[in-house]
Amino acid sequence: MSGNKEPAMMDRQVVLKSAQTANVRYVRLQFADLMGSLKNVEVPVHELEKVIAGEVVFDGSALDGFARFEESDMLLRPDLSTWLVFPWSTPEGRVARLICDVYLPDGRPFAGDPRGILKRSIKRMQSLGFDGLNIGLEVEFFLLRLDKSGHPVLVPNDQGGYFDISPLDTGENCRRDIAIALDSIGIPVEASHHEVARGQHEIDIENTDALTAADNLMTMRMLIKTIARDHGLHATFMPKPFADLDGSGLHVHQALFKNGCNAFLDPSSRFQLSVTAGQYIAGLLHHAQALTAITNPLVNSYKRIVQGYDAPIYSAWSVRDTNAYVRVPDVRGDSTRVELRAADSACNPYLAFAAMLEAGLDGITRQRILPDPVHHNLFGISEVERFQMGVSSLPSTLLQALTALEEDDVVQGALGEHACDLFERAKWQEWHAYQSTVHRWEHEHYLDL
């Protein structure tokens, strides 16, 4: 259950043998930049020994929002437990990947490496006596059509709705191929189905430790886009591509384990939730505004967090309301968990999971009091009533979320000073660029005034 996945010495021989047996010709050394984009350096397989030794250098200053100019040289050190051979091939042979941690030439972990940031939070969790954080994911996305030039157009690939099947769900075969491919590379799929909006789909992957879950989501996004292209479609994780349809979210199921047992379960308490679970939820709620800057990092993210489109807009928790920021599913035992429902798949999962974990741990260490759950429609009561219930609104713009982040030491601390500074700088630039752009809506409403 531990988040530490340092490879054992025997892994080196296993990787080399696998590369030979599978006829691997190229190896992608993958890592995430601060904005959550997957990057890679591809090397021929005869360089694999050098790769395993952690001797591959790249220019970190060339990536926006990743490193400063004076920190240009970076080393890629692969986590050998992430070795996998992709389920497709080139005419010359197969392609494999290794996910890497980023280090400075002097051997220190690079402070701006998102994967290293999550590993740091996992170590802090372990220092508090927990074995690990388990995470399961519900990943939503749209399949769009392509024009004659192969460019995506803003047209859903089908007219299906929630749980629809063929012929309404014409993305069914594509979604099935994605699920088969995920299973084949060791990312177990729990379920997949058509979502509420036209052209919208969901694939749920089984829970695993937090670091593996983040690695899996990065791989999953790449694989979904690749297989969609093979079907003549474009997969997008844009949170709100259509104004009149539901947006795409990322539901993050979380559970702490301690001494091999689920630390969120207490069969004798209300809702069978332990004190630890209540404090963890209280931490998520307390830091919800700042968390949103990390879990919903785009200007477009906030077009989804609006009333009427099945997305949380208030920082409340519930055991049944799917519009709550945090929901506790009915299952208990080792499956007891809390589900944060506001995030979207455009986020950097390493940063998002680190920030959630630190917020939850803050609730535990400070013994924050869990407010009463909300079991009725928050949209139908006044702002004063919501205030009396201790329920606040989530940020409605990236501007509000960034302002909240600047005032939250815990979420800032999850990223660390270096990464937080670069993240905020990049996001403020994004906001100012959006704010200064004249949009089509303004032309339609004001040009004839």
Side-chain angles (χ1 to χ4, degrees), residues 268-296:
S268 65
S269 68
R270 188 186 184 196
F271 306 123
Q272 299 185 45
L273 293 177
S274 67
V275 172
T276 297
Q279 293 170 342
Y280 190 94
I281 296 171
L284 292 176
L285 296 177
H286 182 81
H287 297 285
Q289 278 69 33
L291 276 175
T292 307
I294 311 300
T295 61
N296 306 77

mmCIF file of all heavy atoms in Angstrom, residues 268-296:
data_model
loop_
_atom_site.group_PDB
_atom_site.id
_atom_site.type_symbol
_atom_site.label_atom_id
_atom_site.label_comp_id
_atom_site.label_asym_id
_atom_site.label_seq_id
_atom_site.Cartn_x
_atom_site.Cartn_y
_atom_site.Cartn_z
ATOM 1 N N SER A 268 -19.148 1.121 14.443
ATOM 2 C CA SER A 268 -19.973 1.516 15.586
ATOM 3 C C SER A 268 -20.399 2.985 15.538
ATOM 4 O O SER A 268 -21.183 3.425 16.378
ATOM 5 C CB SER A 268 -19.210 1.263 16.889
ATOM 6 O OG SER A 268 -18.052 2.098 16.960
ATOM 7 N N SER A 269 -19.900 3.750 14.576
ATOM 8 C CA SER A 269 -20.168 5.187 14.564
ATOM 9 C C SER A 269 -21.243 5.543 13.541
ATOM 10 O O SER A 269 -21.680 4.714 12.750
ATOM 11 C CB SER A 269 -18.898 5.960 14.253
ATOM 12 O OG SER A 269 -18.499 5.707 12.917
ATOM 13 N N ARG A 270 -21.644 6.802 13.558
ATOM 14 C CA ARG A 270 -22.632 7.306 12.609
ATOM 15 C C ARG A 270 -22.094 7.168 11.184
ATOM 16 O O ARG A 270 -20.950 7.527 10.897
ATOM 17 C CB ARG A 270 -22.931 8.783 12.906
ATOM 18 C CG ARG A 270 -24.087 9.355 12.101
ATOM 19 C CD ARG A 270 -24.209 10.847 12.364
ATOM 20 N NE ARG A 270 -25.354 11.428 11.689
ATOM 21 C CZ ARG A 270 -25.527 12.737 11.497
ATOM 22 N NH1 ARG A 270 -24.623 13.596 11.954
ATOM 23 N NH2 ARG A 270 -26.598 13.191 10.860
ATOM 24 N N PHE A 271 -22.897 6.639 10.317
ATOM 25 C CA PHE A 271 -22.538 6.364 8.927
ATOM 26 C C PHE A 271 -21.376 5.369 8.821
ATOM 27 O O PHE A 271 -20.828 5.186 7.745
ATOM 28 C CB PHE A 271 -22.185 7.645 8.164
ATOM 29 C CG PHE A 271 -23.236 8.710 8.217
ATOM 30 C CD1 PHE A 271 -22.941 9.971 8.707
ATOM 31 C CD2 PHE A 271 -24.528 8.462 7.783
ATOM 32 C CE1 PHE A 271 -23.905 10.964 8.762
ATOM 33 C CE2 PHE A 271 -25.507 9.448 7.828
ATOM 34 C CZ PHE A 271 -25.197 10.696 8.324
ATOM 35 N N GLN A 272 -20.976 4.763 9.923
ATOM 36 C CA GLN A 272 -19.843 3.840 9.977
ATOM 37 C C GLN A 272 -18.538 4.505 9.545
ATOM 38 O O GLN A 272 -17.623 3.851 9.024
ATOM 39 C CB GLN A 272 -20.116 2.588 9.137
ATOM 40 C CG GLN A 272 -21.322 1.785 9.590
ATOM 41 C CD GLN A 272 -21.490 0.497 8.798
ATOM 42 O OE1 GLN A 272 -20.537 -0.236 8.565
ATOM 43 N NE2 GLN A 272 -22.727 0.236 8.376
ATOM 44 N N LEU A 273 -18.431 5.800 9.764
ATOM 45 C CA LEU A 273 -17.225 6.543 9.430
ATOM 46 C C LEU A 273 -16.415 6.812 10.689
ATOM 47 O O LEU A 273 -16.959 7.236 11.716
ATOM 48 C CB LEU A 273 -17.571 7.874 8.758
ATOM 49 C CG LEU A 273 -18.226 7.801 7.370
ATOM 50 C CD1 LEU A 273 -18.572 9.198 6.886
ATOM 51 C CD2 LEU A 273 -17.295 7.106 6.376
ATOM 52 N N SER A 274 -15.121 6.599 10.616
ATOM 53 C CA SER A 274 -14.249 6.816 11.763
ATOM 54 C C SER A 274 -14.033 8.306 11.993
ATOM 55 O O SER A 274 -14.331 9.147 11.141
ATOM 56 C CB SER A 274 -12.898 6.141 11.526
ATOM 57 O OG SER A 274 -12.205 6.790 10.465
ATOM 58 N N VAL A 275 -13.484 8.620 13.169
ATOM 59 C CA VAL A 275 -13.093 9.999 13.469
ATOM 60 C C VAL A 275 -12.081 10.484 12.429
ATOM 61 O O VAL A 275 -12.145 11.629 11.954
ATOM 62 C CB VAL A 275 -12.511 10.099 14.888
ATOM 63 C CG1 VAL A 275 -11.921 11.484 15.128
ATOM 64 C CG2 VAL A 275 -13.574 9.785 15.925
ATOM 65 N N THR A 276 -11.164 9.601 12.052
ATOM 66 C CA THR A 276 -10.161 9.954 11.040
ATOM 67 C C THR A 276 -10.824 10.351 9.728
ATOM 68 O O THR A 276 -10.437 11.340 9.091
ATOM 69 C CB THR A 276 -9.204 8.767 10.807
ATOM 70 O OG1 THR A 276 -8.489 8.499 12.007
ATOM 71 C CG2 THR A 276 -8.221 9.075 9.691
ATOM 72 N N ALA A 277 -11.833 9.592 9.310
ATOM 73 C CA ALA A 277 -12.547 9.922 8.070
ATOM 74 C C ALA A 277 -13.209 11.285 8.176
ATOM 75 O O ALA A 277 -13.146 12.094 7.240
ATOM 76 C CB ALA A 277 -13.589 8.847 7.765
ATOM 77 N N GLY A 278 -13.847 11.549 9.304
ATOM 78 C CA GLY A 278 -14.509 12.833 9.499
ATOM 79 C C GLY A 278 -13.526 13.991 9.457
ATOM 80 O O GLY A 278 -13.795 15.035 8.845
ATOM 81 N N GLN A 279 -12.369 13.809 10.079
ATOM 82 C CA GLN A 279 -11.359 14.869 10.071
ATOM 83 C C GLN A 279 -10.779 15.063 8.678
ATOM 84 O O GLN A 279 -10.503 16.199 8.260
ATOM 85 C CB GLN A 279 -10.257 14.523 11.070
ATOM 86 C CG GLN A 279 -10.731 14.549 12.523
ATOM 87 C CD GLN A 279 -9.708 13.969 13.482
ATOM 88 O OE1 GLN A 279 -8.785 13.245 13.066
ATOM 89 N NE2 GLN A 279 -9.848 14.268 14.764
ATOM 90 N N TYR A 280 -10.606 13.958 7.951
ATOM 91 C CA TYR A 280 -10.087 14.050 6.578
ATOM 92 C C TYR A 280 -11.063 14.829 5.694
ATOM 93 O O TYR A 280 -10.663 15.730 4.941
ATOM 94 C CB TYR A 280 -9.865 12.645 6.030
ATOM 95 C CG TYR A 280 -9.108 12.582 4.721
ATOM 96 C CD1 TYR A 280 -7.730 12.399 4.703
ATOM 97 C CD2 TYR A 280 -9.766 12.668 3.493
ATOM 98 C CE1 TYR A 280 -7.022 12.320 3.518
ATOM 99 C CE2 TYR A 280 -9.070 12.602 2.298
ATOM 100 C CZ TYR A 280 -7.694 12.416 2.311
ATOM 101 O OH TYR A 280 -7.004 12.352 1.133
ATOM 102 N N ILE A 281 -12.355 14.499 5.791
ATOM 103 C CA ILE A 281 -13.366 15.228 5.017
ATOM 104 C C ILE A 281 -13.390 16.693 5.423
ATOM 105 O O ILE A 281 -13.472 17.593 4.568
ATOM 106 C CB ILE A 281 -14.760 14.597 5.216
ATOM 107 C CG1 ILE A 281 -14.793 13.177 4.662
ATOM 108 C CG2 ILE A 281 -15.843 15.445 4.540
ATOM 109 C CD1 ILE A 281 -16.064 12.403 5.015
ATOM 110 N N ALA A 282 -13.303 16.961 6.727
ATOM 111 C CA ALA A 282 -13.301 18.343 7.211
ATOM 112 C C ALA A 282 -12.127 19.119 6.633
ATOM 113 O O ALA A 282 -12.247 20.312 6.299
ATOM 114 C CB ALA A 282 -13.261 18.363 8.745
ATOM 115 N N GLY A 283 -10.973 18.448 6.497
ATOM 116 C CA GLY A 283 -9.824 19.100 5.883
ATOM 117 C C GLY A 283 -10.065 19.427 4.421
ATOM 118 O O GLY A 283 -9.710 20.518 3.944
ATOM 119 N N LEU A 284 -10.670 18.506 3.678
ATOM 120 C CA LEU A 284 -10.997 18.765 2.279
ATOM 121 C C LEU A 284 -11.953 19.950 2.151
ATOM 122 O O LEU A 284 -11.784 20.811 1.273
ATOM 123 C CB LEU A 284 -11.620 17.526 1.643
ATOM 124 C CG LEU A 284 -10.722 16.298 1.456
ATOM 125 C CD1 LEU A 284 -11.537 15.131 0.900
ATOM 126 C CD2 LEU A 284 -9.544 16.603 0.537
ATOM 127 N N LEU A 285 -12.959 19.999 3.015
ATOM 128 C CA LEU A 285 -13.933 21.087 2.966
ATOM 129 C C LEU A 285 -13.287 22.421 3.335
ATOM 130 O O LEU A 285 -13.561 23.457 2.712
ATOM 131 C CB LEU A 285 -15.102 20.799 3.906
ATOM 132 C CG LEU A 285 -15.963 19.574 3.577
ATOM 133 C CD1 LEU A 285 -17.037 19.377 4.645
ATOM 134 C CD2 LEU A 285 -16.605 19.701 2.203
ATOM 135 N N HIS A 286 -12.430 22.401 4.360
ATOM 136 C CA HIS A 286 -11.799 23.648 4.830
ATOM 137 C C HIS A 286 -10.925 24.267 3.747
ATOM 138 O O HIS A 286 -10.848 25.494 3.631
ATOM 139 C CB HIS A 286 -10.968 23.360 6.082
ATOM 140 C CG HIS A 286 -10.322 24.584 6.659
ATOM 141 N ND1 HIS A 286 -11.006 25.471 7.479
ATOM 142 C CD2 HIS A 286 -9.056 25.081 6.524
ATOM 143 C CE1 HIS A 286 -10.188 26.451 7.827
ATOM 144 N NE2 HIS A 286 -9.006 26.244 7.263
ATOM 145 N N HIS A 287 -10.275 23.425 2.951
ATOM 146 C CA HIS A 287 -9.340 23.922 1.933
ATOM 147 C C HIS A 287 -9.931 23.862 0.525
ATOM 148 O O HIS A 287 -9.187 23.991 -0.457
ATOM 149 C CB HIS A 287 -8.049 23.110 1.994
ATOM 150 C CG HIS A 287 -7.304 23.245 3.287
ATOM 151 N ND1 HIS A 287 -6.576 24.373 3.624
ATOM 152 C CD2 HIS A 287 -7.184 22.395 4.346
ATOM 153 C CE1 HIS A 287 -6.033 24.211 4.826
ATOM 154 N NE2 HIS A 287 -6.391 23.026 5.279
ATOM 155 N N ALA A 288 -11.234 23.692 0.425
ATOM 156 C CA ALA A 288 -11.863 23.467 -0.880
ATOM 157 C C ALA A 288 -11.585 24.591 -1.874
ATOM 158 O O ALA A 288 -11.324 24.335 -3.058
ATOM 159 C CB ALA A 288 -13.371 23.274 -0.711
ATOM 160 N N GLN A 289 -11.652 25.847 -1.419
ATOM 161 C CA GLN A 289 -11.457 26.969 -2.344
ATOM 162 C C GLN A 289 -10.059 26.941 -2.969
ATOM 163 O O GLN A 289 -9.905 27.095 -4.180
ATOM 164 C CB GLN A 289 -11.688 28.308 -1.625
ATOM 165 C CG GLN A 289 -13.146 28.711 -1.494
ATOM 166 C CD GLN A 289 -13.912 27.805 -0.532
ATOM 167 O OE1 GLN A 289 -13.351 27.313 0.446
ATOM 168 N NE2 GLN A 289 -15.181 27.585 -0.810
ATOM 169 N N ALA A 290 -9.034 26.745 -2.134
ATOM 170 C CA ALA A 290 -7.668 26.699 -2.656
ATOM 171 C C ALA A 290 -7.412 25.429 -3.449
ATOM 172 O O ALA A 290 -6.709 25.453 -4.472
ATOM 173 C CB ALA A 290 -6.667 26.822 -1.509
ATOM 174 N N LEU A 291 -7.971 24.314 -2.992
ATOM 175 C CA LEU A 291 -7.817 23.055 -3.726
ATOM 176 C C LEU A 291 -8.314 23.187 -5.156
ATOM 177 O O LEU A 291 -7.753 22.595 -6.085
ATOM 178 C CB LEU A 291 -8.599 21.940 -3.028
ATOM 179 C CG LEU A 291 -7.940 21.199 -1.874
ATOM 180 C CD1 LEU A 291 -8.927 20.212 -1.254
ATOM 181 C CD2 LEU A 291 -6.694 20.456 -2.364
ATOM 182 N N THR A 292 -9.372 23.973 -5.342
ATOM 183 C CA THR A 292 -9.988 24.085 -6.658
ATOM 184 C C THR A 292 -9.016 24.648 -7.687
ATOM 185 O O THR A 292 -9.076 24.292 -8.867
ATOM 186 C CB THR A 292 -11.260 24.950 -6.578
ATOM 187 O OG1 THR A 292 -12.120 24.426 -5.566
ATOM 188 C CG2 THR A 292 -12.016 24.947 -7.895
ATOM 189 N N ALA A 293 -8.092 25.505 -7.263
ATOM 190 C CA ALA A 293 -7.099 26.038 -8.202
ATOM 191 C C ALA A 293 -6.230 24.927 -8.770
ATOM 192 O O ALA A 293 -5.754 25.021 -9.911
ATOM 193 C CB ALA A 293 -6.230 27.081 -7.502
ATOM 194 N N ILE A 294 -6.033 23.853 -7.994
ATOM 195 C CA ILE A 294 -5.187 22.742 -8.432
ATOM 196 C C ILE A 294 -6.011 21.683 -9.155
ATOM 197 O O ILE A 294 -5.585 21.147 -10.176
ATOM 198 C CB ILE A 294 -4.465 22.100 -7.232
ATOM 199 C CG1 ILE A 294 -3.804 23.175 -6.359
ATOM 200 C CG2 ILE A 294 -3.462 21.069 -7.698
ATOM 201 C CD1 ILE A 294 -2.785 24.012 -7.082
ATOM 202 N N THR A 295 -7.197 21.384 -8.640
ATOM 203 C CA THR A 295 -8.019 20.316 -9.216
ATOM 204 C C THR A 295 -8.818 20.775 -10.428
ATOM 205 O O THR A 295 -9.287 19.944 -11.208
ATOM 206 C CB THR A 295 -8.992 19.745 -8.168
ATOM 207 O OG1 THR A 295 -9.873 20.792 -7.712
ATOM 208 C CG2 THR A 295 -8.243 19.184 -6.972
ATOM 209 N N ASN A 296 -8.965 22.085 -10.592
ATOM 210 C CA ASN A 296 -9.716 22.663 -11.714
ATOM 211 C C ASN A 296 -8.883 23.819 -12.270
ATOM 212 O O ASN A 296 -9.196 24.989 -12.042
ATOM 213 C CB ASN A 296 -11.089 23.154 -11.246
ATOM 214 C CG ASN A 296 -11.878 22.076 -10.524
ATOM 215 O OD1 ASN A 296 -11.611 21.775 -9.359
ATOM 216 N ND2 ASN A 296 -12.837 21.493 -11.196
#
